[in-house]
């Protein structure tokens, strides 16, 4: 029944566009003095269930990516100060900030491609100021946690787009809103997060293994130099 209703909505939307364009042609052919040529309400890129069901969660992820971009930029600046001078960590978090910002921009473009808008959708909530001034080793743990959280957000999008339950992986009986294109987009994002998690976990474990009670500053310095390469 839901599939039939969705099909009817899609067909109705396409017919609305066709009818509107036919009316426009008739008005132009009839010499109407004042043509209304704005057909965006009837002729748009909205297709599938993205805008009606998945867009709120998708926009939530965009805000999270922008929040991380700003947070990492601040952390990068923190490590670049003369009092810290960890230029490798500065480079690492500057790159992380750029990646998250590019992710957000790419996702915004996807919203527009699917016929949506970002009007009043951006609401970036920054964390407490204490997270902007981490020590080198805990900063890797912070970024690793963020990457795992983002993986879960993308996985939630992926499950919703494929109508999968969170536990058994079966097809959900109620509230199903299949969107294959969104699932494909979320799958690519999940792969990127897996790579990011793996890289950060390796860095955190390597630096932790270099720590000794008397030489942790030297370990930080040597590791920081490696990050510059």
């Amino acid at each position: 029944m839901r599939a039939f209703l969705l099909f009817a909505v899609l067909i109705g939307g396409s017919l609305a566009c066709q009818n509107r364009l036919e009316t426009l042609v008739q008005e132009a052919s009839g010499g109407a003095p004042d043509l209304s040529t704005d057909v965006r309400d009837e002729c748009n890129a909205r297709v599938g269930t993205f805008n009606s069901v998945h867009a709120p969660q998708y926009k939530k992820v965009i805000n999270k990516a922008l929040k991380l971009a700003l947070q990492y930029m601040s952390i990068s600046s923190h490590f670049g100060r003369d009092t810290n001078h960890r230029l490798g960590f500065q480079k690492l978090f500057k790159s992380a900030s750029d990646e998250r910002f590019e992710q957000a921009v790419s996702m915004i473009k996807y919203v527009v491609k699917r016929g949506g808008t970002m009007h009043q959708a951006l609401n970036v909530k920054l964390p407490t100021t204490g997270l902007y001034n981490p020590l080198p080793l805990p900063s890797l743990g912070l970024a690793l946690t963020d990457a795992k959280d983002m993986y879960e957000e993308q996985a939630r999008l992926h499950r919703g787009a494929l109508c999968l339950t969170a536990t058994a992986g079966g097809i959900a009986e109620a509230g199903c809103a299949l969107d294959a294109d969104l699932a494909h987009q979320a799958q690519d994002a999940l792969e990127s997060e897996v790579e990011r998690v793996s890289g950060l976990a390796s860095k955190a474990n390597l630096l932790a293994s270099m720590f000794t009670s008397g030489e942790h500053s030297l370990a930080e310095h040597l590791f920081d130099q490696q990050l510059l390469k």
Side-chain angles (χ1 to χ4, degrees):
M1 183 62 181
R2 288 192 301 269
F4 174 77
L5 290 175
L6 176 60
F7 179 76
V9 169
L10 294 177
I11 293 299
S14 62
L15 288 177
C17 177
Q18 179 183 345
N19 293 337
R20 179 68 184 88
L21 295 178
E22 287 178 350
T23 300
L24 180 60
V25 171
Q26 292 170 3
E27 290 175 350
S29 300
D34 186 17
L35 289 177
S36 176
T37 58
D38 188 350
V39 299
R40 286 173 294 183
D41 287 342
E42 295 88 358
C43 303
N44 53 64
R46 293 192 291 272
V47 65
T49 60
F50 177 77
N51 287 283
S52 60
V53 178
H54 305 290
Q57 171 63 19
Y58 196 85
K59 292 174 182 178
K60 176 184 175 183
V61 178
I62 293 175
N63 280 293
K64 183 176 180 65
L66 287 173
K67 184 205 78 170
L68 292 179
L70 295 174
Q71 180 180 329
Y72 293 161
M73 181 61 71
S74 179
I75 293 175
S76 175
S77 176
H78 161 72
F79 284 122
R81 294 173 184 166
D82 292 340
T83 52
N84 295 320
H85 202 65
R86 293 290 185 232
L87 300 186
F89 279 89
Q90 179 189 31
K91 177 184 176 183
L92 175 68
F93 279 93
K94 174 61 168 60
S95 178
S97 176
D98 291 343
E99 287 177 3
R100 289 303 184 188
F101 184 77
E102 291 172 4
Q103 178 186 23
V105 170
S106 177
M107 293 182 73
I108 290 172
K109 289 180 179 179
Y110 183 79
V111 171
V112 175
K113 184 175 77 170
R114 295 299 300 269
T117 70
M118 291 299 296
H119 180 61
Q120 296 182 337
L122 296 181
N123 183 24
V124 181
K125 297 180 180 179
L126 297 178
T128 58
T129 56
L131 292 179
Y132 298 135
N133 305 292
L135 295 171
L137 182 55
S139 75
L140 296 175
L142 171 65
L144 178 59
T145 299
D146 290 337
K148 290 184 177 182
D149 288 344
M150 186 64 86
Y151 175 91
E152 292 301 326
E153 295 285 1
Q154 295 287 0
R156 191 173 294 111
L157 275 173
H158 188 253
R159 289 194 301 267
L162 289 178
C163 296
L164 298 177
T165 58
T167 53
I171 300 297
E173 289 293 333
C176 180
L178 182 67
D179 195 300
D181 190 74
L182 175 59
H184 176 74
Q185 200 267 353
Q187 178 65 46
D188 290 343
L190 282 170
E191 292 176 6
S192 296
E193 295 303 332
V194 168
E195 291 295 330
R196 189 173 286 109
V197 166
S198 177
L200 288 167
S202 296
K203 288 181 175 63
N205 279 280
L206 176 59
L207 179 53
S209 69
M210 295 168 63
F211 263 48
T212 64
S213 57
E215 298 295 341
H216 64 275
S217 295
L218 178 60
E220 285 180 359
H221 173 73
L222 294 175
F223 186 84
D224 186 73
Q225 293 302 302
Q226 287 294 318
L227 291 176
L228 285 172
K229 295 181 180 179

